[in-house]
Coordinates of all heavy atoms in Angstrom, one line a residue:
M26 N -0.4 -14.6 -15.2 CA 0.7 -13.7 -15.6 C 2.1 -14.4 -15.3 O 2.3 -15.0 -14.2 CB 0.6 -12.4 -14.8 CG 1.4 -11.3 -15.4 SD 1.3 -9.8 -14.4 CE -0.3 -9.1 -15.0
S27 N 3.0 -14.4 -16.3 CA 4.3 -15.0 -16.1 C 5.2 -14.2 -15.1 O 5.0 -13.0 -15.0 CB 5.0 -15.1 -17.4 OG 5.4 -13.9 -17.9
P28 N 6.2 -14.8 -14.5 CA 7.1 -14.1 -13.7 C 7.8 -12.9 -14.4 O 8.0 -11.8 -13.8 CB 8.2 -15.1 -13.3 CG 7.5 -16.5 -13.5 CD 6.5 -16.3 -14.6
E29 N 8.0 -13.1 -15.7 CA 8.7 -12.0 -16.4 C 7.7 -10.8 -16.6 O 8.1 -9.6 -16.5 CB 9.0 -12.4 -17.9 CG 10.2 -13.4 -17.9 CD 9.8 -14.8 -17.5 OE1 8.6 -15.2 -17.6 OE2 10.7 -15.5 -17.0
E30 N 6.4 -11.1 -16.8 CA 5.4 -10.1 -16.9 C 5.2 -9.3 -15.6 O 5.0 -8.1 -15.5 CB 4.1 -10.7 -17.4 CG 4.0 -11.0 -18.8 CD 2.8 -11.8 -19.2 OE1 2.3 -12.6 -18.4 OE2 2.4 -11.7 -20.4
I31 N 5.2 -10.1 -14.5 CA 5.1 -9.5 -13.1 C 6.3 -8.6 -12.9 O 6.1 -7.4 -12.4 CB 5.0 -10.6 -12.0 CG1 3.7 -11.4 -12.2 CG2 5.1 -10.0 -10.6 CD1 3.6 -12.6 -11.3
K32 N 7.5 -9.0 -13.2 CA 8.7 -8.2 -13.0 C 8.6 -6.9 -13.8 O 8.9 -5.8 -13.3 CB 9.9 -9.0 -13.5 CG 11.2 -8.4 -13.2 CD 11.6 -8.6 -11.8 CE 12.8 -7.7 -11.4 NZ 12.8 -7.3 -10.0
K33 N 8.0 -7.0 -15.0 CA 7.9 -5.8 -15.9 C 6.9 -4.8 -15.3 O 7.1 -3.6 -15.3 CB 7.4 -6.3 -17.3 CG 7.9 -5.5 -18.4 CD 7.6 -6.1 -19.7 CE 7.7 -5.1 -20.9 NZ 7.2 -5.7 -22.1
Q34 N 5.8 -5.4 -14.8 CA 4.7 -4.6 -14.1 C 5.4 -3.9 -12.9 O 5.1 -2.7 -12.7 CB 3.6 -5.4 -13.6 CG 2.7 -5.9 -14.7 CD 1.5 -5.0 -14.9 OE1 1.4 -4.0 -14.2 NE2 0.6 -5.4 -15.8
E35 N 6.1 -4.6 -12.1 CA 6.7 -4.1 -10.9 C 7.7 -2.9 -11.3 O 7.6 -1.9 -10.6 CB 7.5 -5.2 -10.2 CG 8.1 -4.8 -8.9 CD 9.0 -5.9 -8.2 OE1 9.3 -6.8 -8.9 OE2 9.2 -5.7 -7.1
E36 N 8.5 -3.1 -12.3 CA 9.4 -2.0 -12.7 C 8.6 -0.8 -13.1 O 9.0 0.4 -12.8 CB 10.3 -2.5 -13.8 CG 11.4 -3.4 -13.4 CD 12.1 -4.1 -14.5 OE1 11.8 -3.8 -15.7 OE2 12.9 -5.0 -14.2
M37 N 7.5 -1.0 -13.8 CA 6.7 0.1 -14.3 C 6.1 0.9 -13.1 O 6.1 2.1 -13.0 CB 5.6 -0.4 -15.2 CG 4.9 0.7 -16.0 SD 3.7 -0.1 -17.1 CE 2.4 -0.4 -16.0
V38 N 5.5 0.1 -12.1 CA 4.9 0.7 -10.9 C 6.0 1.5 -10.1 O 5.8 2.6 -9.6 CB 4.1 -0.3 -10.1 CG1 3.7 0.3 -8.8 CG2 3.0 -0.9 -10.9
N39 N 7.1 0.8 -9.9 CA 8.2 1.5 -9.2 C 8.6 2.8 -9.9 O 8.8 3.8 -9.2 CB 9.5 0.6 -9.2 CG 9.5 -0.4 -8.1 OD1 8.9 -0.2 -7.1 ND2 10.2 -1.5 -8.3
A40 N 8.6 2.9 -11.2 CA 9.0 4.1 -11.9 C 7.9 5.2 -11.8 O 8.2 6.4 -11.7 CB 9.2 3.8 -13.4
M41 N 6.7 4.8 -11.7 CA 5.6 5.8 -11.6 C 5.3 6.2 -10.1 O 4.7 7.2 -9.9 CB 4.3 5.2 -12.1 CG 4.3 4.9 -13.6 SD 2.9 3.9 -14.2 CE 1.7 5.1 -14.4
C42 N 5.7 5.4 -9.1 CA 5.4 5.6 -7.7 C 6.0 7.0 -7.2 O 7.1 7.3 -7.5 CB 6.0 4.5 -6.9 SG 5.7 4.7 -5.1
I43 N 5.2 7.7 -6.4 CA 5.6 9.0 -5.9 C 5.8 8.9 -4.4 O 5.9 10.0 -3.7 CB 4.5 10.1 -6.3 CG1 3.1 9.7 -5.7 CG2 4.5 10.3 -7.8 CD1 2.1 10.9 -5.8
C44 N 5.9 7.7 -3.8 CA 6.1 7.6 -2.4 C 7.2 8.4 -1.8 O 7.2 8.9 -0.7 CB 6.2 6.1 -2.0 SG 4.7 5.2 -2.0
K45 N 8.3 8.5 -2.6 CA 9.5 9.2 -2.1 C 9.2 10.7 -1.8 O 10.0 11.3 -1.1 CB 10.7 9.0 -3.0 CG 11.3 7.6 -2.9 CD 12.5 7.5 -3.8 CE 13.1 6.1 -3.7 NZ 14.2 5.8 -4.6
S46 N 8.2 11.2 -2.4 CA 7.8 12.6 -2.2 C 6.8 12.8 -1.1 O 6.4 13.9 -0.8 CB 7.2 13.2 -3.5 OG 8.1 13.1 -4.5
C47 N 6.4 11.7 -0.5 CA 5.3 11.7 0.5 C 5.9 12.1 1.9 O 7.0 11.7 2.3 CB 4.7 10.3 0.5 SG 3.6 10.1 1.9
P48 N 5.1 12.8 2.7 CA 5.5 13.2 4.1 C 5.8 11.9 4.9 O 6.7 12.0 5.8 CB 4.4 14.0 4.7 CG 3.3 14.0 3.7 CD 3.8 13.5 2.4
T49 N 5.1 10.9 4.7 CA 5.3 9.6 5.5 C 6.7 9.1 5.2 O 7.5 8.7 6.1 CB 4.2 8.6 5.2 OG1 3.0 9.0 5.8 CG2 4.5 7.2 5.7
Y50 N 7.0 9.0 3.9 CA 8.3 8.5 3.5 C 9.4 9.4 3.9 O 10.4 9.0 4.5 CB 8.4 8.3 2.0 CG 9.5 7.5 1.5 CD1 9.4 6.1 1.3 CD2 10.8 8.1 1.3 CE1 10.5 5.3 0.9 CE2 11.9 7.3 0.9 CZ 11.7 6.0 0.6 OH 12.8 5.2 0.2
K51 N 9.2 10.7 3.8 CA 10.2 11.7 4.1 C 10.5 11.7 5.6 O 11.6 11.9 6.1 CB 9.8 13.1 3.7 CG 10.0 13.3 2.2 CD 9.6 14.7 1.8 CE 9.7 15.0 0.4 NZ 9.1 16.3 0.0
A52 N 9.4 11.4 6.4 CA 9.6 11.5 7.9 C 10.5 10.4 8.3 O 11.2 10.5 9.4 CB 8.2 11.3 8.5
Y53 N 10.6 9.3 7.6 CA 11.5 8.2 7.9 C 13.0 8.6 7.8 O 13.8 8.2 8.6 CB 11.2 7.0 7.0 CG 12.0 5.8 7.1 CD1 12.3 5.2 8.4 CD2 12.6 5.2 6.0 CE1 13.0 4.1 8.5 CE2 13.3 4.1 6.1 CZ 13.6 3.5 7.4 OH 14.3 2.4 7.5
G54 N 13.3 9.6 6.9 CA 14.6 10.2 6.8 C 15.7 9.4 6.1 O 16.8 9.9 6.0
K55 N 15.4 8.2 5.6 CA 16.3 7.5 4.8 C 15.6 6.6 3.8 O 14.4 6.4 3.9 CB 17.3 6.7 5.7 CG 16.6 5.7 6.7 CD 17.7 5.1 7.6 CE 16.9 4.2 8.6 NZ 17.8 3.4 9.4
K56 N 16.4 5.9 3.0 CA 15.9 5.1 1.9 C 15.2 3.8 2.5 O 15.9 3.2 3.4 CB 17.0 4.7 1.0 CG 16.6 4.3 -0.4 CD 17.8 4.1 -1.3 CE 17.3 3.5 -2.5 NZ 18.3 2.8 -3.2
D57 N 14.0 3.5 2.2 CA 13.4 2.3 2.7 C 13.8 1.1 1.8 O 14.4 1.3 0.7 CB 11.8 2.5 2.6 CG 11.1 1.4 3.5 OD1 11.8 0.7 4.2 OD2 9.9 1.4 3.5
D58 N 13.5 -0.1 2.2 CA 13.9 -1.3 1.5 C 13.3 -1.3 0.1 O 13.9 -1.9 -0.9 CB 13.4 -2.5 2.2 CG 14.0 -2.6 3.6 OD1 15.1 -2.0 3.8 OD2 13.4 -3.1 4.5
Y59 N 12.1 -0.8 -0.1 CA 11.4 -0.7 -1.4 C 10.3 0.4 -1.3 O 10.0 0.9 -0.2 CB 10.8 -2.1 -1.7 CG 9.8 -2.6 -0.7 CD1 8.5 -2.3 -0.7 CD2 10.3 -3.4 0.4 CE1 7.6 -2.8 0.3 CE2 9.5 -3.9 1.4 CZ 8.1 -3.6 1.4 OH 7.3 -4.0 2.3
I60 N 9.7 0.7 -2.5 CA 8.6 1.6 -2.5 C 7.4 0.9 -3.3 O 7.4 -0.3 -3.3 CB 9.0 3.0 -3.2 CG1 9.5 2.7 -4.6 CG2 9.9 3.8 -2.3 CD1 9.7 4.0 -5.5
A61 N 6.5 1.7 -3.8 CA 5.3 1.1 -4.5 C 4.7 0.0 -3.6 O 4.5 -1.1 -4.0 CB 5.7 0.5 -5.8
Y62 N 4.3 0.4 -2.4 CA 3.8 -0.5 -1.4 C 2.5 -1.1 -1.8 O 2.0 -2.1 -1.2 CB 3.6 0.3 -0.1 CG 4.9 0.9 0.4 CD1 5.1 2.3 0.2 CD2 5.9 0.2 1.0 CE1 6.3 2.9 0.6 CE2 7.1 0.8 1.4 CZ 7.3 2.1 1.2 OH 8.5 2.7 1.6
C63 N 1.8 -0.5 -2.8 CA 0.5 -1.0 -3.3 C 0.7 -2.2 -4.1 O -0.3 -2.9 -4.4 CB -0.2 0.1 -4.1 SG 0.6 0.6 -5.6
F64 N 1.9 -2.5 -4.6 CA 2.1 -3.6 -5.5 C 2.0 -4.9 -4.7 O 2.5 -5.0 -3.6 CB 3.5 -3.5 -6.1 CG 3.7 -4.4 -7.3 CD1 3.1 -4.0 -8.5 CD2 4.4 -5.5 -7.3 CE1 3.2 -4.9 -9.7 CE2 4.6 -6.4 -8.4 CZ 4.0 -6.0 -9.6
P65 N 1.2 -5.9 -5.3 CA 0.9 -7.1 -4.6 C 2.0 -7.8 -3.9 O 1.9 -8.4 -2.8 CB 0.2 -8.0 -5.7 CG -0.3 -7.0 -6.7 CD 0.6 -5.8 -6.7
T66 N 3.2 -7.8 -4.5 CA 4.3 -8.5 -3.9 C 5.1 -7.6 -3.0 O 6.1 -8.1 -2.4 CB 5.3 -9.1 -5.0 OG1 5.8 -8.0 -5.8 CG2 4.6 -10.2 -5.8
H67 N 4.7 -6.4 -2.8 CA 5.4 -5.5 -1.9 C 4.6 -5.4 -0.6 O 5.0 -6.1 0.4 CB 5.5 -4.1 -2.5 CG 6.5 -4.0 -3.7 ND1 6.9 -2.8 -4.2 CD2 7.1 -5.0 -4.4 CE1 7.7 -3.1 -5.2 NE2 7.8 -4.4 -5.4
G68 N 3.6 -4.6 -0.5 CA 2.8 -4.5 0.7 C 3.5 -3.6 1.8 O 4.4 -2.8 1.5
K69 N 3.1 -3.8 3.0 CA 3.5 -3.0 4.2 C 5.0 -2.9 4.4 O 5.7 -3.9 4.2 CB 2.9 -3.6 5.4 CG 1.5 -3.1 5.7 CD 1.2 -3.4 7.2 CE 0.4 -4.7 7.4 NZ -0.1 -4.8 8.8
S70 N 5.4 -1.7 4.8 CA 6.8 -1.5 5.2 C 6.9 -1.8 6.7 O 6.0 -1.5 7.5 CB 7.2 -0.1 4.9 OG 8.4 0.3 5.6
K71 N 8.1 -2.2 7.2 CA 8.3 -2.3 8.6 C 8.8 -1.0 9.2 O 9.0 -0.9 10.4 CB 9.3 -3.4 8.9 CG 8.8 -4.8 8.5 CD 9.9 -5.9 9.0 CE 9.5 -7.3 8.6 NZ 9.7 -7.5 7.2
N72 N 9.1 -0.1 8.3 CA 9.8 1.1 8.8 C 9.0 2.4 8.9 O 9.5 3.3 9.6 CB 11.0 1.4 7.8 CG 11.9 0.2 7.6 OD1 12.3 -0.4 8.7 ND2 12.3 -0.1 6.4
L73 N 7.8 2.5 8.3 CA 7.2 3.8 8.2 C 6.0 3.9 9.2 O 5.4 2.9 9.6 CB 6.6 4.0 6.8 CG 7.6 3.9 5.7 CD1 7.0 4.2 4.4 CD2 8.8 4.8 5.9
A74 N 5.7 5.1 9.7 CA 4.5 5.4 10.5 C 3.8 6.5 9.7 O 4.4 7.3 9.0 CB 4.9 5.9 11.9
E75 N 2.5 6.6 9.9 CA 1.7 7.5 9.1 C 1.9 9.0 9.4 O 1.8 9.4 10.5 CB 0.2 7.1 9.3 CG 0.0 5.7 8.7 CD -1.5 5.3 8.9 OE1 -2.3 6.1 9.3 OE2 -1.8 4.1 8.5
H76 N 2.2 9.8 8.3 CA 2.4 11.2 8.4 C 1.7 11.9 7.2 O 2.1 12.9 6.8 CB 3.8 11.6 8.4 CG 4.6 11.2 9.7 ND1 4.5 12.0 10.8 CD2 5.3 10.1 10.0 CE1 5.3 11.4 11.8 NE2 5.8 10.3 11.3
G77 N 0.6 11.3 6.7 CA 0.0 11.8 5.5 C 0.3 10.9 4.3 O 1.4 10.3 4.3
C78 N -0.7 10.8 3.4 CA -0.5 9.9 2.2 C -0.9 10.6 1.0 O -1.9 11.3 0.9 CB -1.4 8.7 2.4 SG -1.3 7.5 1.0
I79 N 0.0 10.6 -0.1 CA -0.3 11.3 -1.3 C -0.6 10.3 -2.5 O -0.6 10.7 -3.6 CB 0.9 12.2 -1.7 CG1 2.2 11.4 -1.9 CG2 1.1 13.4 -0.7 CD1 3.3 12.2 -2.6
C80 N -0.9 9.1 -2.1 CA -1.2 8.0 -3.1 C -2.3 8.5 -4.1 O -2.3 8.2 -5.2 CB -1.7 6.7 -2.5 SG -0.3 5.7 -1.9
G81 N -3.3 9.3 -3.5 CA -4.4 9.7 -4.3 C -4.0 10.6 -5.5 O -4.8 10.8 -6.5
T82 N -2.8 11.1 -5.5 CA -2.3 11.9 -6.6 C -1.3 11.2 -7.6 O -0.8 11.7 -8.5 CB -1.6 13.2 -6.1 OG1 -0.4 12.8 -5.4 CG2 -2.5 14.1 -5.3
C83 N -1.2 9.9 -7.3 CA -0.3 9.1 -8.1 C -0.9 8.5 -9.3 O -2.1 8.1 -9.3 CB 0.2 7.9 -7.2 SG 1.2 6.7 -8.1
P84 N -0.2 8.5 -10.5 CA -0.8 7.9 -11.7 C -1.2 6.4 -11.6 O -2.2 6.0 -12.2 CB 0.3 8.1 -12.7 CG 1.5 8.5 -12.0 CD 1.1 9.0 -10.7
V85 N -0.5 5.7 -10.7 CA -0.8 4.3 -10.5 C -2.2 4.2 -9.8 O -3.0 3.3 -10.2 CB 0.3 3.6 -9.7 CG1 -0.1 2.1 -9.3 CG2 1.6 3.6 -10.3
Y86 N -2.4 5.1 -8.9 CA -3.7 5.1 -8.1 C -4.9 5.3 -9.1 O -5.9 4.6 -9.0 CB -3.6 6.2 -7.1 CG -4.7 6.2 -6.0 CD1 -4.4 5.5 -4.8 CD2 -5.9 6.8 -6.2 CE1 -5.4 5.5 -3.8 CE2 -6.9 6.8 -5.2 CZ -6.6 6.1 -4.0 OH -7.6 6.1 -3.0
E87 N -4.7 6.2 -10.0 CA -5.8 6.5 -10.9 C -6.0 5.3 -11.9 O -7.1 4.9 -12.1 CB -5.4 7.8 -11.7 CG -6.6 8.3 -12.4 CD -6.3 9.6 -13.2 OE1 -5.3 10.2 -12.9 OE2 -7.1 9.9 -14.1
K88 N -4.8 4.8 -12.4 CA -4.9 3.8 -13.4 C -5.5 2.5 -12.8 O -6.3 1.8 -13.4 CB -3.4 3.4 -13.8 CG -3.3 2.5 -14.9 CD -1.8 2.3 -15.3 CE -1.5 1.2 -16.2 NZ -2.2 1.2 -17.5
M89 N -5.2 2.2 -11.5 CA -5.8 1.0 -10.9 C -7.1 1.2 -10.2 O -7.7 0.3 -9.7 CB -4.8 0.5 -9.8 CG -3.4 0.1 -10.3 SD -3.5 -1.1 -11.6 CE -4.2 -2.5 -10.7
R90 N -7.6 2.5 -10.3 CA -8.9 2.9 -9.7 C -8.9 2.4 -8.2 O -9.9 1.9 -7.7 CB -10.0 2.2 -10.4 CG -10.1 2.7 -11.8 CD -11.3 2.2 -12.5 NE -11.3 2.7 -13.9 CZ -12.3 2.4 -14.8 NH1 -13.3 1.7 -14.4 NH2 -12.2 2.9 -16.0
F91 N -7.8 2.7 -7.5 CA -7.8 2.4 -6.1 C -8.7 3.3 -5.3 O -9.0 4.5 -5.7 CB -6.3 2.7 -5.5 CG -5.4 1.6 -5.9 CD1 -4.0 1.9 -6.0 CD2 -5.8 0.3 -6.2 CE1 -3.1 0.9 -6.3 CE2 -4.8 -0.7 -6.5 CZ -3.5 -0.4 -6.6
V92 N -9.1 2.9 -4.1 CA -10.0 3.7 -3.2 C -9.4 3.9 -1.8 O -9.9 4.7 -1.1 CB -11.4 3.2 -3.2 CG1 -12.1 3.3 -4.5 CG2 -11.5 1.8 -2.6
T93 N -8.5 3.0 -1.5 CA -7.9 3.1 -0.1 C -6.6 3.9 -0.2 O -6.3 4.6 -1.2 CB -7.7 1.7 0.5 OG1 -6.8 1.0 -0.3 CG2 -9.0 1.0 0.6
A94 N -5.8 3.9 0.9 CA -4.5 4.6 0.9 C -3.6 4.0 1.9 O -3.9 3.0 2.5 CB -4.8 6.1 1.3
Y95 N -2.5 4.7 2.2 CA -1.5 4.2 3.2 C -1.1 2.7 3.0 O -1.2 1.9 3.9 CB -2.1 4.4 4.6 CG -2.0 5.7 5.1 CD1 -3.1 6.5 5.3 CD2 -0.7 6.3 5.5 CE1 -3.0 7.8 5.8 CE2 -0.7 7.6 6.0 CZ -1.8 8.3 6.2 OH -1.7 9.6 6.7
Y96 N -0.7 2.4 1.7 CA -0.3 1.0 1.4 C 0.9 0.6 2.2 O 1.1 -0.6 2.5 CB -0.1 0.8 -0.1 CG -1.4 1.2 -0.8 CD1 -1.5 2.4 -1.6 CD2 -2.6 0.5 -0.6 CE1 -2.7 2.8 -2.2 CE2 -3.8 0.9 -1.2 CZ -3.8 2.0 -2.0 OH -5.0 2.4 -2.6
C97 N 1.7 1.6 2.6 CA 3.0 1.3 3.3 C 2.7 0.9 4.8 O 3.5 0.2 5.4 CB 3.8 2.6 3.3 SG 3.1 4.0 4.1
T98 N 1.5 1.3 5.3 CA 1.3 0.9 6.7 C 0.0 0.0 6.9 O -0.1 -0.7 7.9 CB 1.0 2.2 7.6 OG1 0.0 2.9 7.0 CG2 2.3 3.0 7.7
R99 N -0.9 0.0 5.9 CA -2.1 -0.7 6.0 C -2.3 -1.9 5.0 O -3.3 -2.5 5.0 CB -3.3 0.3 5.8 CG -3.3 1.4 6.8 CD -4.4 2.3 6.6 NE -4.3 3.5 7.4 CZ -5.2 4.5 7.5 NH1 -6.3 4.4 6.8 NH2 -5.0 5.5 8.2
D100 N -1.3 -2.0 4.2 CA -1.2 -3.2 3.2 C -1.9 -2.8 1.9 O -2.5 -1.8 1.7 CB -1.7 -4.5 3.8 CG -0.8 -5.6 3.4 OD1 -0.3 -5.7 2.3 OD2 -0.6 -6.5 4.3
V101 N -1.9 -3.8 1.0 CA -2.3 -3.6 -0.4 C -3.9 -3.4 -0.4 O -4.6 -3.8 0.5 CB -1.9 -4.7 -1.3 CG1 -0.4 -4.8 -1.4 CG2 -2.5 -6.1 -0.9
E102 N -4.3 -2.8 -1.5 CA -5.8 -2.5 -1.7 C -6.7 -3.7 -1.4 O -7.7 -3.5 -0.6 CB -6.0 -2.0 -3.2 CG -7.4 -1.8 -3.5 CD -7.8 -0.3 -3.4 OE1 -7.0 0.5 -2.8 OE2 -8.9 0.1 -3.8
M103 N -6.4 -4.9 -1.9 CA -7.3 -6.0 -1.7 C -7.4 -6.3 -0.2 O -8.5 -6.6 0.3 CB -6.8 -7.2 -2.5 CG -7.8 -8.3 -2.6 SD -9.4 -7.8 -3.2 CE -9.1 -7.6 -4.9
K104 N -6.3 -6.3 0.5 CA -6.4 -6.7 1.9 C -7.1 -5.6 2.7 O -7.9 -5.9 3.7 CB -4.9 -6.8 2.5 CG -4.3 -8.1 2.0 CD -3.0 -8.4 2.8 CE -2.4 -9.6 2.3 NZ -1.0 -9.8 2.9
Q105 N -7.0 -4.3 2.3 CA -7.7 -3.3 3.0 C -9.2 -3.4 2.8 O -10.0 -3.2 3.7 CB -7.2 -1.9 2.6 CG -5.8 -1.6 3.1 CD -5.5 -0.1 3.0 OE1 -6.3 0.7 3.4 NE2 -4.4 0.3 2.4
K106 N -9.6 -3.7 1.5 CA -11.0 -3.9 1.2 C -11.6 -5.0 2.0 O -12.7 -5.0 2.4 CB -11.2 -4.1 -0.3 CG -11.1 -2.8 -1.1 CD -11.3 -3.1 -2.6 CE -11.5 -1.8 -3.4 NZ -11.5 -2.1 -4.8
T107 N -10.8 -6.1 2.1 CA -11.3 -7.3 2.8 C -11.5 -6.9 4.3 O -12.5 -7.3 4.9 CB -10.3 -8.4 2.7 OG1 -10.1 -8.7 1.3 CG2 -10.7 -9.7 3.4
A108 N -10.5 -6.2 4.9 CA -10.6 -5.8 6.3 C -11.8 -4.9 6.5 O -12.5 -5.0 7.5 CB -9.3 -5.0 6.7
I109 N -12.1 -4.0 5.5 CA -13.3 -3.1 5.7 C -14.5 -3.9 5.7 O -15.4 -3.7 6.5 CB -13.2 -2.0 4.5 CG1 -12.1 -1.0 4.7 CG2 -14.6 -1.3 4.4 CD1 -11.8 -0.2 3.5
A110 N -14.6 -4.9 4.7 CA -15.8 -5.7 4.6 C -16.0 -6.6 5.9 O -17.1 -6.7 6.5 CB -15.7 -6.6 3.4
E111 N -14.9 -7.2 6.4 CA -15.0 -8.0 7.6 C -15.3 -7.2 8.8 O -16.1 -7.6 9.7 CB -13.6 -8.7 7.8 CG -13.4 -9.9 6.9 CD -12.1 -10.6 7.1 OE1 -11.3 -10.1 7.9 OE2 -11.9 -11.6 6.5
A112 N -14.7 -6.0 8.9 CA -15.0 -5.1 10.1 C -16.5 -4.7 10.1 O -17.1 -4.7 11.1 CB -14.1 -3.9 10.0
A113 N -17.0 -4.4 8.9 CA -18.4 -4.0 8.8 C -19.3 -5.2 9.2 O -20.3 -5.0 10.0 CB -18.8 -3.5 7.4
W114 N -18.9 -6.3 8.8 CA -19.7 -7.5 9.0 C -19.7 -7.9 10.5 O -20.8 -8.3 11.1 CB -19.2 -8.7 8.2 CG -19.9 -10.0 8.3 CD1 -19.6 -11.1 9.0 CD2 -21.2 -10.3 7.7 NE1 -20.5 -12.1 8.9 CE2 -21.6 -11.6 8.1 CE3 -22.1 -9.5 6.9 CZ2 -22.8 -12.2 7.7 CZ3 -23.3 -10.1 6.5 CH2 -23.6 -11.4 6.9
K115 N -18.6 -7.8 11.2 CA -18.4 -8.2 12.6 C -18.7 -7.0 13.5 O -18.6 -7.2 14.8 CB -17.0 -8.8 12.8 CG -16.8 -10.1 12.0 CD -15.5 -10.6 12.3 CE -15.3 -12.0 11.6 NZ -14.0 -12.5 11.8
G116 N -18.8 -5.8 13.0 CA -19.0 -4.7 13.9 C -17.8 -4.2 14.7 O -17.8 -3.6 15.7
H117 N -16.6 -4.6 14.1 CA -15.3 -4.1 14.7 C -14.8 -2.9 14.0 O -15.3 -2.5 12.9 CB -14.3 -5.2 14.5 CG -14.6 -6.5 15.3 ND1 -14.0 -7.7 14.9 CD2 -15.4 -6.7 16.3 CE1 -14.5 -8.6 15.7 NE2 -15.3 -8.1 16.5
S118 N -13.8 -2.3 14.6 CA -13.1 -1.2 13.9 C -12.2 -1.7 12.8 O -11.6 -2.7 12.9 CB -12.3 -0.3 14.8 OG -11.0 -0.6 14.8
V119 N -12.2 -1.0 11.6 CA -11.4 -1.4 10.5 C -9.9 -1.4 10.9 O -9.1 -2.3 10.6 CB -11.6 -0.4 9.3 CG1 -10.6 -0.8 8.2 CG2 -13.0 -0.5 8.8
W120 N -9.5 -0.5 11.8 CA -8.2 -0.3 12.2 C -7.7 -1.6 12.9 O -6.6 -2.1 12.7 CB -8.0 0.9 13.1 CG -6.6 1.2 13.4 CD1 -6.0 1.3 14.6 CD2 -5.6 1.5 12.5 NE1 -4.7 1.6 14.6 CE2 -4.4 1.8 13.2 CE3 -5.5 1.6 11.1 CZ2 -3.2 2.1 12.7 CZ3 -4.3 1.9 10.5 CH2 -3.1 2.2 11.3
D121 N -8.6 -2.1 13.8 CA -8.2 -3.4 14.5 C -8.0 -4.5 13.5 O -7.1 -5.3 13.7 CB -9.4 -3.8 15.5 CG -9.4 -2.9 16.7 OD1 -8.4 -2.3 17.0 OD2 -10.4 -3.0 17.5
H122 N -8.8 -4.6 12.5 CA -8.6 -5.6 11.5 C -7.3 -5.5 10.8 O -6.5 -6.4 10.6 CB -9.7 -5.6 10.5 CG -10.9 -6.4 10.9 ND1 -11.1 -7.7 10.6 CD2 -11.9 -6.1 11.7 CE1 -12.2 -8.2 11.2 NE2 -12.7 -7.2 11.9
L123 N -7.0 -4.2 10.4 CA -5.7 -4.0 9.6 C -4.5 -4.2 10.5 O -3.5 -4.7 10.0 CB -5.7 -2.5 9.1 CG -6.7 -2.2 8.0 CD1 -6.8 -0.8 7.7 CD2 -6.3 -3.0 6.7
K124 N -4.6 -4.0 11.8 CA -3.5 -4.2 12.7 C -3.5 -5.6 13.2 O -2.6 -6.0 14.0 CB -3.6 -3.2 13.9 CG -3.3 -1.8 13.5 CD -1.9 -1.6 13.2 CE -1.6 -0.1 12.8 NZ -0.3 0.2 12.4
G125 N -4.5 -6.4 12.8 CA -4.5 -7.8 13.2 C -4.9 -8.0 14.7 O -4.7 -9.0 15.3
K126 N -5.5 -7.0 15.3 CA -5.9 -7.1 16.7 C -7.2 -7.9 16.9 O -7.4 -8.5 17.9 CB -6.2 -5.7 17.3 CG -4.9 -4.9 17.5 CD -5.3 -3.6 18.1 CE -4.1 -2.6 18.1 NZ -4.5 -1.2 18.3
K127 N -8.0 -8.0 15.8 CA -9.2 -8.8 15.9 C -9.2 -9.8 14.7 O -8.9 -9.5 13.6 CB -10.5 -7.9 15.7 CG -10.6 -6.9 16.9 CD -11.7 -7.3 17.8 CE -11.7 -6.4 19.0 NZ -12.9 -5.7 19.3
P128 N -9.7 -11.0 15.0 CA -9.7 -12.0 13.9 C -10.8 -11.8 12.9 O -11.7 -11.1 13.2 CB -9.9 -13.3 14.7 CG -10.6 -12.9 15.9 CD -10.2 -11.6 16.2
Ligands
SF4_217 S1 -0.4 4.3 -5.3 FE1 0.9 5.0 -3.6 S2 2.2 3.1 -3.2 FE2 1.2 2.8 -5.2 S3 2.7 3.5 -6.6 FE3 1.4 5.2 -6.2 S4 2.4 6.4 -4.6 FE4 3.3 4.4 -4.6
SF4_218 S1 1.9 4.5 0.5 FE1 1.0 6.5 0.7 S2 1.6 7.1 2.9 FE2 2.9 5.4 2.2 S3 4.8 6.4 1.5 FE3 3.4 6.0 -0.3 S4 2.3 7.9 -0.6 FE4 3.1 7.9 1.4

């Protein structure tokens, strides 16, 4: 995919994203640096803590057939899926993998 195509995709996902209506985003109380945390070049925010996630009701979520959530605190879908698989394989908690506590 060309940089122009990625930029176009990013703009589309930003426009469809409902993060600003989410309790986690609202709890922060001000504008974050970016939204659409699920987008591959976005990922985790340094500013948010979990207060509920409404990604499951977002059109992007349905279109992309996502299964995880909390992209703002747990990173993009692929990284979460990798962490889940690694945690299961090593017998660790998924949370430790996502937080980087366990290799
Ligand atoms: S799935 Fe979540 S992070 Fe991604 S665009 Fe929708 S609301 Fe935003
Ligand atoms: S990624 Fe999920 S939890 Fe985070 S702000 Fe968006 S909807 Fe809320």
